[in-house]
Amino acid sequence: MKRFLSLLLVLILSLGILISCGNEEKAEVKVEVLNGTTGFGMAQLMEKNANGETNNNYSFTVQKDATKIQGDLIAGTVDIAAVPTNLAAATYNKTNGGIQILAINTLGVLTVMQNADGEKIENIGDLEGKTIYCPAQNPAQILNFILQKNNINAEVKTSISSPQELTSAFLSQKTKDESGVEIAIDIDIAVIPQPMATQVLTKKEQAGYRIALDITEEWNKVSDEELVQGCIVARTDFIEKNPDAIKAFLAEYESSIKFTNENPAKAAEYIVKYEIAADAKLAEKAIPSCNIVYVVNKDMKNKMQNFLDELGIKLSEGNFYYINE
């Protein structure tokens, strides 16, 4: 009897060990995604996470304001984030190396758009003396670089700093003053990123709105470096404490980006489901123009560093680049 009980106990303990090994605790990872193109590649990963099909337990938040994500990275309340490249560099400097870039996820997505009211813009030289409304930070830095390289004097207005708000103002020719009162505004030329540029064309295709210039093409005329606009970053202390979780995330994120590019219709459903964009048909139509990529390790470092050097953006001492080769 004692022998039987001993064998039974061994079997129970062995079964417990097997069950434990088969249910390893997943890492808890907080992720913030900027809505629009920078976040498109995350959509399928968000769907898989909701279905319990990921190696980490992710908690996703979609933000409309990149500076909110920056604040959360600085405060340490988010672990991984999809952000514009210039904000990544600025956050790295502000935190003295407190974040690292994991991957480049978006190349050039900017366009110069024009409504039917003004003189037709045919080439970059036609911007001489014009007023151009442009989102702040990354787009404005890129536009000013191109204008300077072409010796063009133009007024770049960043008073409507958000791409979403600028797109809305461009479509309606209305904005709001500091007190929230709606006022008329005359916007003939605006820098609009994808997928908003597709939104403008879809809504105003009969009204003479058009893409006058492709910013990526204009960049390539004056620079030998690649235009890099979006990336994935993580807090350095999170990377150091959770190396396996980071590796798992990158593998799952690479798969999600591939899915987005190869299955735009289904990806667009997820993009709308998780409020990365509002219109599935628009997102599907825009995805081929969104330059969604997955670039890591030395290739990422070279592209990103060359881009920052081109714009004159300096990094503080330390290691900005996560290399896992």
Side-chain angles (χ1 to χ4, degrees), residues 17-149:
I17 291 170
L18 288 172
I19 291 172
S20 175
C21 291
N23 292 279
E24 291 185 10
E25 187 175 348
K26 295 182 178 181
E28 301 292 330
V29 185
K30 296 178 182 178
V31 183
E32 288 194 1
V33 179
L34 186 64
N35 69 337
T37 304
T38 308
F40 274 18
M42 199 74 74
Q44 193 216 22
L45 178 54
M46 296 170 81
E47 176 69 7
K48 283 190 171 184
N49 183 67
N51 295 331
E53 299 172 354
T54 53
N55 291 314
N56 296 320
N57 281 330
Y58 298 105
S59 175
F60 287 100
T61 303
V62 177
Q63 300 284 6
K64 294 182 179 179
D65 185 354
T67 58
K68 174 65 170 66
I69 299 179
Q70 182 183 49
D72 291 342
L73 285 167
I74 293 171
T77 56
V78 62
D79 304 315
I80 296 173
V83 296
T85 48
N86 73 307
L87 184 135
T91 306
Y92 174 81
N93 288 338
K94 281 188 176 183
T95 58
N96 295 314
I99 68 164
Q100 286 185 299
I101 175 173
L102 303 178
I104 292 168
N105 67 6
T106 316
L107 301 179
V109 295
L110 299 175
T111 67
V112 175
M113 301 202 74
Q114 184 180 26
N115 65 34
D117 294 338
E119 181 182 347
K120 194 172 184 180
I121 303 297
E122 299 283 4
N123 56 64
I124 194 72
D126 291 337
L127 294 178
E128 178 70 33
K130 300 292 193 300
T131 298
I132 309 164
Y133 282 80
C134 182
Q137 299 180 349
N138 191 303
Q141 286 179 302
I142 292 166
L143 176 62
N144 279 316
F145 174 84
I146 292 170
L147 293 175
Q148 290 168 8
K149 287 291 185 178

Side-chain angles (χ1 to χ4, degrees), residues 198-305:
T198 299
Q199 175 189 353
V200 172
L201 292 178
T202 301
K203 291 190 175 184
K204 292 289 188 177
E205 59 185 351
Q206 304 300 326
Y209 282 62
R210 58 187 285 268
I211 293 177
L213 299 170
D214 183 317
I215 288 290
T216 301
E217 291 181 5
E218 299 306 323
W219 171 275
N220 291 339
K221 291 175 184 177
V222 296
S223 174
D224 293 328
E225 309 305 336
E226 198 147 21
L227 181 54
V228 181
Q229 288 198 246
C231 63
I232 295 289
V233 301
R235 290 188 297 106
T236 303
D237 62 346
F238 183 83
I239 295 171
E240 292 171 348
K241 293 175 183 177
N242 302 275
D244 291 338
I246 290 294
K247 291 175 184 177
F249 165 77
L250 285 172
E252 292 171 331
Y253 185 54
E254 180 181 17
S255 177
S256 185
I257 285 179
K258 183 179 180 182
F259 179 89
T260 298
N261 285 323
E262 294 180 355
N263 304 275
K266 194 64 179 179
E269 291 181 22
Y270 298 150
I271 286 167
V272 171
K273 179 178 180 179
Y274 295 105
E275 299 182 347
I276 301 170
D279 187 315
K281 289 184 178 179
L282 174 64
E284 178 185 356
K285 188 176 181 180
I287 283 171
S289 301
C290 287
N291 277 329
I292 302 166
V293 297
Y294 178 80
V295 183
V296 294
N297 296 323
K298 291 180 181 178
D299 195 17
M300 167 195 72
K301 180 179 180 179
N302 291 336
K303 290 179 187 297
M304 184 70 169
Q305 190 61 55

